[in-house]
Amino acid sequence: MNPIADLTPEQQEQYNELLKEITKNIDPTDYLPPSVREVAKMDMDTLKAEYDLVVAKQSTRSSNQRKWILERFEHEFNKQQEPDGTTN
């Protein structure tokens, strides 16, 4: 059952515009747990510094935060290596 299929083209356009407006105002990081949100909102300089501490095994953060720091840094690093979004 697809409720959008029952709408007229004008209503579908209004519906799509409404969805765009709603999603523009939502920050998905607001729904993350606080410890994960902190890592998600780190700027690259802070993330790099935290990553260096984790790799050197000198971080005082929780194991979960260390895991997220590693994953996010590796993701951001890989994203910078492939700016066009292609893979080898």
Side-chain angles (χ1 to χ4, degrees), residues 31-67:
Y31 301 96
L32 294 172
S35 60
V36 178
R37 183 180 324 122
E38 181 183 1
V39 173
K41 291 190 174 199
M42 284 181 183
D43 60 47
M44 282 306 293
D45 292 335
T46 305
L47 182 63
K48 172 72 170 114
E50 290 290 338
Y51 175 80
D52 290 342
L53 287 172
V54 170
V55 170
K57 299 196 181 294
Q58 296 177 344
S59 177
T60 58
R61 294 187 176 271
S62 69
S63 61
N64 194 33
Q65 281 187 310
R66 293 192 308 265
K67 178 186 76 143

PDB file of all heavy atoms in Angstrom, residues 31-67:
ATOM      1  N   TYR A  31      20.097  12.478  17.736  1.00  0.00           N
ATOM      2  CA  TYR A  31      19.492  11.230  18.204  1.00  0.00           C
ATOM      3  C   TYR A  31      20.527  10.172  18.575  1.00  0.00           C
ATOM      4  O   TYR A  31      20.173   9.054  18.913  1.00  0.00           O
ATOM      5  CB  TYR A  31      18.528  10.694  17.139  1.00  0.00           C
ATOM      6  CG  TYR A  31      17.438  11.705  16.842  1.00  0.00           C
ATOM      7  CD1 TYR A  31      17.545  12.581  15.771  1.00  0.00           C
ATOM      8  CD2 TYR A  31      16.343  11.832  17.683  1.00  0.00           C
ATOM      9  CE1 TYR A  31      16.561  13.534  15.531  1.00  0.00           C
ATOM     10  CE2 TYR A  31      15.366  12.782  17.451  1.00  0.00           C
ATOM     11  CZ  TYR A  31      15.487  13.627  16.368  1.00  0.00           C
ATOM     12  OH  TYR A  31      14.525  14.576  16.136  1.00  0.00           O
ATOM     13  N   LEU A  32      21.800  10.530  18.524  1.00  0.00           N
ATOM     14  CA  LEU A  32      22.861   9.617  18.925  1.00  0.00           C
ATOM     15  C   LEU A  32      23.062   9.696  20.438  1.00  0.00           C
ATOM     16  O   LEU A  32      22.795  10.733  21.047  1.00  0.00           O
ATOM     17  CB  LEU A  32      24.172  10.004  18.239  1.00  0.00           C
ATOM     18  CG  LEU A  32      24.245   9.849  16.731  1.00  0.00           C
ATOM     19  CD1 LEU A  32      25.544  10.464  16.205  1.00  0.00           C
ATOM     20  CD2 LEU A  32      24.140   8.403  16.324  1.00  0.00           C
ATOM     21  N   PRO A  33      23.579   8.623  21.032  1.00  0.00           N
ATOM     22  CA  PRO A  33      23.936   8.701  22.449  1.00  0.00           C
ATOM     23  C   PRO A  33      25.009   9.783  22.638  1.00  0.00           C
ATOM     24  O   PRO A  33      25.815  10.030  21.737  1.00  0.00           O
ATOM     25  CB  PRO A  33      24.507   7.320  22.759  1.00  0.00           C
ATOM     26  CG  PRO A  33      24.036   6.436  21.666  1.00  0.00           C
ATOM     27  CD  PRO A  33      23.810   7.296  20.470  1.00  0.00           C
ATOM     28  N   PRO A  34      25.043  10.428  23.790  1.00  0.00           N
ATOM     29  CA  PRO A  34      25.979  11.539  24.000  1.00  0.00           C
ATOM     30  C   PRO A  34      27.444  11.200  23.699  1.00  0.00           C
ATOM     31  O   PRO A  34      28.154  12.009  23.110  1.00  0.00           O
ATOM     32  CB  PRO A  34      25.800  11.896  25.474  1.00  0.00           C
ATOM     33  CG  PRO A  34      24.425  11.434  25.798  1.00  0.00           C
ATOM     34  CD  PRO A  34      24.176  10.222  24.942  1.00  0.00           C
ATOM     35  N   SER A  35      27.905  10.022  24.075  1.00  0.00           N
ATOM     36  CA  SER A  35      29.312   9.674  23.846  1.00  0.00           C
ATOM     37  C   SER A  35      29.621   9.539  22.356  1.00  0.00           C
ATOM     38  O   SER A  35      30.706   9.897  21.897  1.00  0.00           O
ATOM     39  CB  SER A  35      29.681   8.384  24.583  1.00  0.00           C
ATOM     40  OG  SER A  35      28.887   7.317  24.123  1.00  0.00           O
ATOM     41  N   VAL A  36      28.681   9.045  21.582  1.00  0.00           N
ATOM     42  CA  VAL A  36      28.860   8.900  20.140  1.00  0.00           C
ATOM     43  C   VAL A  36      28.694  10.262  19.459  1.00  0.00           C
ATOM     44  O   VAL A  36      29.430  10.604  18.532  1.00  0.00           O
ATOM     45  CB  VAL A  36      27.874   7.862  19.557  1.00  0.00           C
ATOM     46  CG1 VAL A  36      28.015   7.751  18.050  1.00  0.00           C
ATOM     47  CG2 VAL A  36      28.066   6.508  20.217  1.00  0.00           C
ATOM     48  N   ARG A  37      27.741  11.047  19.928  1.00  0.00           N
ATOM     49  CA  ARG A  37      27.505  12.384  19.368  1.00  0.00           C
ATOM     50  C   ARG A  37      28.766  13.237  19.489  1.00  0.00           C
ATOM     51  O   ARG A  37      29.120  13.982  18.577  1.00  0.00           O
ATOM     52  CB  ARG A  37      26.339  13.067  20.080  1.00  0.00           C
ATOM     53  CG  ARG A  37      25.986  14.426  19.496  1.00  0.00           C
ATOM     54  CD  ARG A  37      24.827  15.125  20.199  1.00  0.00           C
ATOM     55  NE  ARG A  37      23.784  14.224  20.654  1.00  0.00           N
ATOM     56  CZ  ARG A  37      23.378  14.118  21.915  1.00  0.00           C
ATOM     57  NH1 ARG A  37      23.894  14.872  22.857  1.00  0.00           N
ATOM     58  NH2 ARG A  37      22.432  13.265  22.250  1.00  0.00           N
ATOM     59  N   GLU A  38      29.449  13.131  20.629  1.00  0.00           N
ATOM     60  CA  GLU A  38      30.677  13.908  20.835  1.00  0.00           C
ATOM     61  C   GLU A  38      31.708  13.585  19.757  1.00  0.00           C
ATOM     62  O   GLU A  38      32.327  14.479  19.184  1.00  0.00           O
ATOM     63  CB  GLU A  38      31.242  13.620  22.218  1.00  0.00           C
ATOM     64  CG  GLU A  38      32.502  14.392  22.530  1.00  0.00           C
ATOM     65  CD  GLU A  38      33.095  14.038  23.878  1.00  0.00           C
ATOM     66  OE1 GLU A  38      32.552  13.180  24.590  1.00  0.00           O
ATOM     67  OE2 GLU A  38      34.131  14.649  24.212  1.00  0.00           O
ATOM     68  N   VAL A  39      31.874  12.316  19.451  1.00  0.00           N
ATOM     69  CA  VAL A  39      32.823  11.904  18.415  1.00  0.00           C
ATOM     70  C   VAL A  39      32.334  12.351  17.042  1.00  0.00           C
ATOM     71  O   VAL A  39      33.108  12.840  16.218  1.00  0.00           O
ATOM     72  CB  VAL A  39      33.050  10.369  18.448  1.00  0.00           C
ATOM     73  CG1 VAL A  39      33.900   9.918  17.277  1.00  0.00           C
ATOM     74  CG2 VAL A  39      33.671   9.949  19.768  1.00  0.00           C
ATOM     75  N   ALA A  40      31.046  12.236  16.788  1.00  0.00           N
ATOM     76  CA  ALA A  40      30.491  12.597  15.485  1.00  0.00           C
ATOM     77  C   ALA A  40      30.645  14.087  15.194  1.00  0.00           C
ATOM     78  O   ALA A  40      30.793  14.478  14.034  1.00  0.00           O
ATOM     79  CB  ALA A  40      29.018  12.203  15.416  1.00  0.00           C
ATOM     80  N   LYS A  41      30.653  14.915  16.219  1.00  0.00           N
ATOM     81  CA  LYS A  41      30.722  16.364  16.020  1.00  0.00           C
ATOM     82  C   LYS A  41      32.135  16.928  16.144  1.00  0.00           C
ATOM     83  O   LYS A  41      32.323  18.129  16.032  1.00  0.00           O
ATOM     84  CB  LYS A  41      29.781  17.071  16.992  1.00  0.00           C
ATOM     85  CG  LYS A  41      28.320  16.800  16.664  1.00  0.00           C
ATOM     86  CD  LYS A  41      27.391  17.677  17.447  1.00  0.00           C
ATOM     87  CE  LYS A  41      25.966  17.454  16.967  1.00  0.00           C
ATOM     88  NZ  LYS A  41      25.072  18.517  17.319  1.00  0.00           N
ATOM     89  N   MET A  42      33.126  16.069  16.337  1.00  0.00           N
ATOM     90  CA  MET A  42      34.512  16.542  16.440  1.00  0.00           C
ATOM     91  C   MET A  42      34.969  17.111  15.102  1.00  0.00           C
ATOM     92  O   MET A  42      34.669  16.547  14.046  1.00  0.00           O
ATOM     93  CB  MET A  42      35.458  15.392  16.805  1.00  0.00           C
ATOM     94  CG  MET A  42      35.424  14.963  18.216  1.00  0.00           C
ATOM     95  SD  MET A  42      36.615  13.611  18.470  1.00  0.00           S
ATOM     96  CE  MET A  42      36.276  13.249  20.179  1.00  0.00           C
ATOM     97  N   ASP A  43      35.741  18.222  15.174  1.00  0.00           N
ATOM     98  CA  ASP A  43      36.352  18.716  13.946  1.00  0.00           C
ATOM     99  C   ASP A  43      37.555  17.816  13.631  1.00  0.00           C
ATOM    100  O   ASP A  43      37.973  17.000  14.448  1.00  0.00           O
ATOM    101  CB  ASP A  43      36.745  20.187  14.079  1.00  0.00           C
ATOM    102  CG  ASP A  43      37.750  20.437  15.190  1.00  0.00           C
ATOM    103  OD1 ASP A  43      38.762  19.704  15.284  1.00  0.00           O
ATOM    104  OD2 ASP A  43      37.527  21.372  15.976  1.00  0.00           O
ATOM    105  N   MET A  44      38.107  17.953  12.437  1.00  0.00           N
ATOM    106  CA  MET A  44      39.168  17.042  12.003  1.00  0.00           C
ATOM    107  C   MET A  44      40.429  17.162  12.862  1.00  0.00           C
ATOM    108  O   MET A  44      41.099  16.160  13.110  1.00  0.00           O
ATOM    109  CB  MET A  44      39.502  17.270  10.528  1.00  0.00           C
ATOM    110  CG  MET A  44      38.507  16.639   9.579  1.00  0.00           C
ATOM    111  SD  MET A  44      38.232  14.861   9.871  1.00  0.00           S
ATOM    112  CE  MET A  44      39.823  14.177   9.428  1.00  0.00           C
ATOM    113  N   ASP A  45      40.766  18.364  13.334  1.00  0.00           N
ATOM    114  CA  ASP A  45      41.958  18.511  14.173  1.00  0.00           C
ATOM    115  C   ASP A  45      41.801  17.761  15.492  1.00  0.00           C
ATOM    116  O   ASP A  45      42.705  17.049  15.924  1.00  0.00           O
ATOM    117  CB  ASP A  45      42.240  19.989  14.439  1.00  0.00           C
ATOM    118  CG  ASP A  45      42.664  20.736  13.180  1.00  0.00           C
ATOM    119  OD1 ASP A  45      43.186  20.087  12.248  1.00  0.00           O
ATOM    120  OD2 ASP A  45      42.469  21.961  13.134  1.00  0.00           O
ATOM    121  N   THR A  46      40.647  17.909  16.107  1.00  0.00           N
ATOM    122  CA  THR A  46      40.371  17.202  17.361  1.00  0.00           C
ATOM    123  C   THR A  46      40.315  15.700  17.120  1.00  0.00           C
ATOM    124  O   THR A  46      40.876  14.917  17.899  1.00  0.00           O
ATOM    125  CB  THR A  46      39.038  17.685  17.969  1.00  0.00           C
ATOM    126  OG1 THR A  46      39.088  19.097  18.127  1.00  0.00           O
ATOM    127  CG2 THR A  46      38.761  17.009  19.300  1.00  0.00           C
ATOM    128  N   LEU A  47      39.670  15.294  16.049  1.00  0.00           N
ATOM    129  CA  LEU A  47      39.574  13.867  15.720  1.00  0.00           C
ATOM    130  C   LEU A  47      40.961  13.271  15.515  1.00  0.00           C
ATOM    131  O   LEU A  47      41.258  12.181  16.008  1.00  0.00           O
ATOM    132  CB  LEU A  47      38.701  13.669  14.484  1.00  0.00           C
ATOM    133  CG  LEU A  47      38.463  12.233  14.045  1.00  0.00           C
ATOM    134  CD1 LEU A  47      37.715  11.455  15.129  1.00  0.00           C
ATOM    135  CD2 LEU A  47      37.691  12.193  12.742  1.00  0.00           C
ATOM    136  N   LYS A  48      41.833  13.978  14.805  1.00  0.00           N
ATOM    137  CA  LYS A  48      43.198  13.495  14.559  1.00  0.00           C
ATOM    138  C   LYS A  48      43.952  13.362  15.868  1.00  0.00           C
ATOM    139  O   LYS A  48      44.649  12.358  16.102  1.00  0.00           O
ATOM    140  CB  LYS A  48      43.918  14.459  13.606  1.00  0.00           C
ATOM    141  CG  LYS A  48      45.396  14.190  13.418  1.00  0.00           C
ATOM    142  CD  LYS A  48      45.642  12.955  12.595  1.00  0.00           C
ATOM    143  CE  LYS A  48      47.118  12.849  12.221  1.00  0.00           C
ATOM    144  NZ  LYS A  48      47.783  11.714  12.821  1.00  0.00           N
ATOM    145  N   ALA A  49      43.823  14.351  16.747  1.00  0.00           N
ATOM    146  CA  ALA A  49      44.506  14.288  18.045  1.00  0.00           C
ATOM    147  C   ALA A  49      44.001  13.113  18.873  1.00  0.00           C
ATOM    148  O   ALA A  49      44.795  12.373  19.481  1.00  0.00           O
ATOM    149  CB  ALA A  49      44.314  15.602  18.799  1.00  0.00           C
ATOM    150  N   GLU A  50      42.689  12.909  18.881  1.00  0.00           N
ATOM    151  CA  GLU A  50      42.112  11.784  19.626  1.00  0.00           C
ATOM    152  C   GLU A  50      42.533  10.452  19.003  1.00  0.00           C
ATOM    153  O   GLU A  50      42.821   9.487  19.712  1.00  0.00           O
ATOM    154  CB  GLU A  50      40.587  11.891  19.663  1.00  0.00           C
ATOM    155  CG  GLU A  50      40.070  13.020  20.519  1.00  0.00           C
ATOM    156  CD  GLU A  50      40.284  12.793  22.007  1.00  0.00           C
ATOM    157  OE1 GLU A  50      40.442  11.633  22.453  1.00  0.00           O
ATOM    158  OE2 GLU A  50      40.281  13.796  22.743  1.00  0.00           O
ATOM    159  N   TYR A  51      42.567  10.404  17.677  1.00  0.00           N
ATOM    160  CA  TYR A  51      42.998   9.190  16.972  1.00  0.00           C
ATOM    161  C   TYR A  51      44.432   8.836  17.360  1.00  0.00           C
ATOM    162  O   TYR A  51      44.735   7.671  17.643  1.00  0.00           O
ATOM    163  CB  TYR A  51      42.885   9.400  15.464  1.00  0.00           C
ATOM    164  CG  TYR A  51      43.403   8.254  14.644  1.00  0.00           C
ATOM    165  CD1 TYR A  51      42.626   7.115  14.429  1.00  0.00           C
ATOM    166  CD2 TYR A  51      44.671   8.289  14.073  1.00  0.00           C
ATOM    167  CE1 TYR A  51      43.095   6.049  13.671  1.00  0.00           C
ATOM    168  CE2 TYR A  51      45.147   7.230  13.319  1.00  0.00           C
ATOM    169  CZ  TYR A  51      44.366   6.112  13.123  1.00  0.00           C
ATOM    170  OH  TYR A  51      44.834   5.057  12.371  1.00  0.00           O
ATOM    171  N   ASP A  52      45.308   9.846  17.383  1.00  0.00           N
ATOM    172  CA  ASP A  52      46.705   9.606  17.761  1.00  0.00           C
ATOM    173  C   ASP A  52      46.804   9.048  19.179  1.00  0.00           C
ATOM    174  O   ASP A  52      47.599   8.147  19.444  1.00  0.00           O
ATOM    175  CB  ASP A  52      47.521  10.886  17.627  1.00  0.00           C
ATOM    176  CG  ASP A  52      47.721  11.300  16.171  1.00  0.00           C
ATOM    177  OD1 ASP A  52      47.541  10.458  15.266  1.00  0.00           O
ATOM    178  OD2 ASP A  52      48.041  12.496  15.946  1.00  0.00           O
ATOM    179  N   LEU A  53      45.993   9.568  20.093  1.00  0.00           N
ATOM    180  CA  LEU A  53      45.982   9.048  21.463  1.00  0.00           C
ATOM    181  C   LEU A  53      45.500   7.599  21.507  1.00  0.00           C
ATOM    182  O   LEU A  53      46.053   6.776  22.236  1.00  0.00           O
ATOM    183  CB  LEU A  53      45.096   9.913  22.358  1.00  0.00           C
ATOM    184  CG  LEU A  53      45.633  11.286  22.732  1.00  0.00           C
ATOM    185  CD1 LEU A  53      44.562  12.093  23.458  1.00  0.00           C
ATOM    186  CD2 LEU A  53      46.886  11.160  23.592  1.00  0.00           C
ATOM    187  N   VAL A  54      44.462   7.293  20.726  1.00  0.00           N
ATOM    188  CA  VAL A  54      43.926   5.924  20.708  1.00  0.00           C
ATOM    189  C   VAL A  54      44.971   4.957  20.163  1.00  0.00           C
ATOM    190  O   VAL A  54      45.206   3.891  20.746  1.00  0.00           O
ATOM    191  CB  VAL A  54      42.618   5.853  19.881  1.00  0.00           C
ATOM    192  CG1 VAL A  54      42.198   4.410  19.658  1.00  0.00           C
ATOM    193  CG2 VAL A  54      41.508   6.632  20.571  1.00  0.00           C
ATOM    194  N   VAL A  55      45.617   5.334  19.068  1.00  0.00           N
ATOM    195  CA  VAL A  55      46.619   4.462  18.449  1.00  0.00           C
ATOM    196  C   VAL A  55      47.809   4.264  19.391  1.00  0.00           C
ATOM    197  O   VAL A  55      48.352   3.159  19.481  1.00  0.00           O
ATOM    198  CB  VAL A  55      47.071   5.045  17.086  1.00  0.00           C
ATOM    199  CG1 VAL A  55      48.266   4.300  16.537  1.00  0.00           C
ATOM    200  CG2 VAL A  55      45.915   4.996  16.092  1.00  0.00           C
ATOM    201  N   ALA A  56      48.175   5.311  20.114  1.00  0.00           N
ATOM    202  CA  ALA A  56      49.287   5.215  21.067  1.00  0.00           C
ATOM    203  C   ALA A  56      48.874   4.548  22.382  1.00  0.00           C
ATOM    204  O   ALA A  56      49.697   4.394  23.284  1.00  0.00           O
ATOM    205  CB  ALA A  56      49.847   6.606  21.344  1.00  0.00           C
ATOM    206  N   LYS A  57      47.612   4.160  22.458  1.00  0.00           N
ATOM    207  CA  LYS A  57      47.040   3.530  23.661  1.00  0.00           C
ATOM    208  C   LYS A  57      47.187   4.429  24.890  1.00  0.00           C
ATOM    209  O   LYS A  57      47.431   3.969  26.000  1.00  0.00           O
ATOM    210  CB  LYS A  57      47.651   2.154  23.905  1.00  0.00           C
ATOM    211  CG  LYS A  57      47.385   1.189  22.768  1.00  0.00           C
ATOM    212  CD  LYS A  57      47.640  -0.233  23.180  1.00  0.00           C
ATOM    213  CE  LYS A  57      47.412  -1.213  22.054  1.00  0.00           C
ATOM    214  NZ  LYS A  57      46.076  -1.332  21.594  1.00  0.00           N
ATOM    215  N   GLN A  58      46.999   5.735  24.689  1.00  0.00           N
ATOM    216  CA  GLN A  58      47.080   6.697  25.780  1.00  0.00           C
ATOM    217  C   GLN A  58      45.752   7.406  26.018  1.00  0.00           C
ATOM    218  O   GLN A  58      45.663   8.308  26.836  1.00  0.00           O
ATOM    219  CB  GLN A  58      48.172   7.729  25.499  1.00  0.00           C
ATOM    220  CG  GLN A  58      49.554   7.119  25.452  1.00  0.00           C
ATOM    221  CD  GLN A  58      50.617   8.140  25.103  1.00  0.00           C
ATOM    222  OE1 GLN A  58      50.317   9.226  24.623  1.00  0.00           O
ATOM    223  NE2 GLN A  58      51.866   7.783  25.346  1.00  0.00           N
ATOM    224  N   SER A  59      44.725   7.003  25.305  1.00  0.00           N
ATOM    225  CA  SER A  59      43.422   7.644  25.441  1.00  0.00           C
ATOM    226  C   SER A  59      42.750   7.216  26.743  1.00  0.00           C
ATOM    227  O   SER A  59      42.829   6.054  27.142  1.00  0.00           O
ATOM    228  CB  SER A  59      42.524   7.265  24.257  1.00  0.00           C
ATOM    229  OG  SER A  59      41.237   7.815  24.416  1.00  0.00           O
ATOM    230  N   THR A  60      42.097   8.165  27.376  1.00  0.00           N
ATOM    231  CA  THR A  60      41.366   7.863  28.609  1.00  0.00           C
ATOM    232  C   THR A  60      39.872   7.691  28.328  1.00  0.00           C
ATOM    233  O   THR A  60      39.080   7.573  29.258  1.00  0.00           O
ATOM    234  CB  THR A  60      41.561   8.999  29.632  1.00  0.00           C
ATOM    235  OG1 THR A  60      41.107  10.223  29.055  1.00  0.00           O
ATOM    236  CG2 THR A  60      43.021   9.122  30.033  1.00  0.00           C
ATOM    237  N   ARG A  61      39.508   7.671  27.067  1.00  0.00           N
ATOM    238  CA  ARG A  61      38.099   7.528  26.691  1.00  0.00           C
ATOM    239  C   ARG A  61      37.645   6.078  26.847  1.00  0.00           C
ATOM    240  O   ARG A  61      38.456   5.160  26.925  1.00  0.00           O
ATOM    241  CB  ARG A  61      37.881   7.995  25.260  1.00  0.00           C
ATOM    242  CG  ARG A  61      38.119   9.492  25.106  1.00  0.00           C
ATOM    243  CD  ARG A  61      37.739   9.946  23.730  1.00  0.00           C
ATOM    244  NE  ARG A  61      37.861  11.376  23.588  1.00  0.00           N
ATOM    245  CZ  ARG A  61      36.891  12.241  23.857  1.00  0.00           C
ATOM    246  NH1 ARG A  61      35.730  11.825  24.292  1.00  0.00           N
ATOM    247  NH2 ARG A  61      37.070  13.523  23.684  1.00  0.00           N
ATOM    248  N   SER A  62      36.328   5.896  26.841  1.00  0.00           N
ATOM    249  CA  SER A  62      35.772   4.549  26.971  1.00  0.00           C
ATOM    250  C   SER A  62      36.109   3.727  25.729  1.00  0.00           C
ATOM    251  O   SER A  62      36.438   4.273  24.666  1.00  0.00           O
ATOM    252  CB  SER A  62      34.250   4.624  27.127  1.00  0.00           C
ATOM    253  OG  SER A  62      33.656   5.058  25.908  1.00  0.00           O
ATOM    254  N   SER A  63      36.006   2.418  25.848  1.00  0.00           N
ATOM    255  CA  SER A  63      36.312   1.551  24.707  1.00  0.00           C
ATOM    256  C   SER A  63      35.376   1.832  23.535  1.00  0.00           C
ATOM    257  O   SER A  63      35.778   1.786  22.370  1.00  0.00           O
ATOM    258  CB  SER A  63      36.251   0.078  25.108  1.00  0.00           C
ATOM    259  OG  SER A  63      34.943  -0.260  25.555  1.00  0.00           O
ATOM    260  N   ASN A  64      34.120   2.157  23.841  1.00  0.00           N
ATOM    261  CA  ASN A  64      33.158   2.464  22.792  1.00  0.00           C
ATOM    262  C   ASN A  64      33.566   3.735  22.045  1.00  0.00           C
ATOM    263  O   ASN A  64      33.533   3.787  20.823  1.00  0.00           O
ATOM    264  CB  ASN A  64      31.755   2.615  23.384  1.00  0.00           C
ATOM    265  CG  ASN A  64      30.676   2.592  22.330  1.00  0.00           C
ATOM    266  OD1 ASN A  64      30.809   1.900  21.320  1.00  0.00           O
ATOM    267  ND2 ASN A  64      29.617   3.344  22.540  1.00  0.00           N
ATOM    268  N   GLN A  65      33.963   4.772  22.784  1.00  0.00           N
ATOM    269  CA  GLN A  65      34.400   6.012  22.135  1.00  0.00           C
ATOM    270  C   GLN A  65      35.675   5.790  21.332  1.00  0.00           C
ATOM    271  O   GLN A  65      35.825   6.337  20.236  1.00  0.00           O
ATOM    272  CB  GLN A  65      34.613   7.128  23.157  1.00  0.00           C
ATOM    273  CG  GLN A  65      33.325   7.774  23.593  1.00  0.00           C
ATOM    274  CD  GLN A  65      33.587   8.986  24.465  1.00  0.00           C
ATOM    275  OE1 GLN A  65      34.345   8.913  25.431  1.00  0.00           O
ATOM    276  NE2 GLN A  65      32.965  10.096  24.120  1.00  0.00           N
ATOM    277  N   ARG A  66      36.590   4.992  21.851  1.00  0.00           N
ATOM    278  CA  ARG A  66      37.821   4.698  21.096  1.00  0.00           C
ATOM    279  C   ARG A  66      37.490   4.009  19.784  1.00  0.00           C
ATOM    280  O   ARG A  66      38.060   4.336  18.742  1.00  0.00           O
ATOM    281  CB  ARG A  66      38.778   3.859  21.928  1.00  0.00           C
ATOM    282  CG  ARG A  66      39.339   4.599  23.132  1.00  0.00           C
ATOM    283  CD  ARG A  66      40.491   3.871  23.792  1.00  0.00           C
ATOM    284  NE  ARG A  66      40.224   2.488  24.132  1.00  0.00           N
ATOM    285  CZ  ARG A  66      39.802   2.052  25.311  1.00  0.00           C
ATOM    286  NH1 ARG A  66      39.591   2.916  26.293  1.00  0.00           N
ATOM    287  NH2 ARG A  66      39.615   0.775  25.527  1.00  0.00           N
ATOM    288  N   LYS A  67      36.537   3.098  19.837  1.00  0.00           N
ATOM    289  CA  LYS A  67      36.121   2.392  18.623  1.00  0.00           C
ATOM    290  C   LYS A  67      35.541   3.382  17.608  1.00  0.00           C
ATOM    291  O   LYS A  67      35.882   3.350  16.423  1.00  0.00           O
ATOM    292  CB  LYS A  67      35.095   1.312  18.957  1.00  0.00           C
ATOM    293  CG  LYS A  67      34.564   0.554  17.741  1.00  0.00           C
ATOM    294  CD  LYS A  67      33.455  -0.397  18.134  1.00  0.00           C
ATOM    295  CE  LYS A  67      32.225   0.432  18.351  1.00  0.00           C
ATOM    296  NZ  LYS A  67      30.971  -0.060  17.968  1.00  0.00           N
TER     297      LYS A  67
END
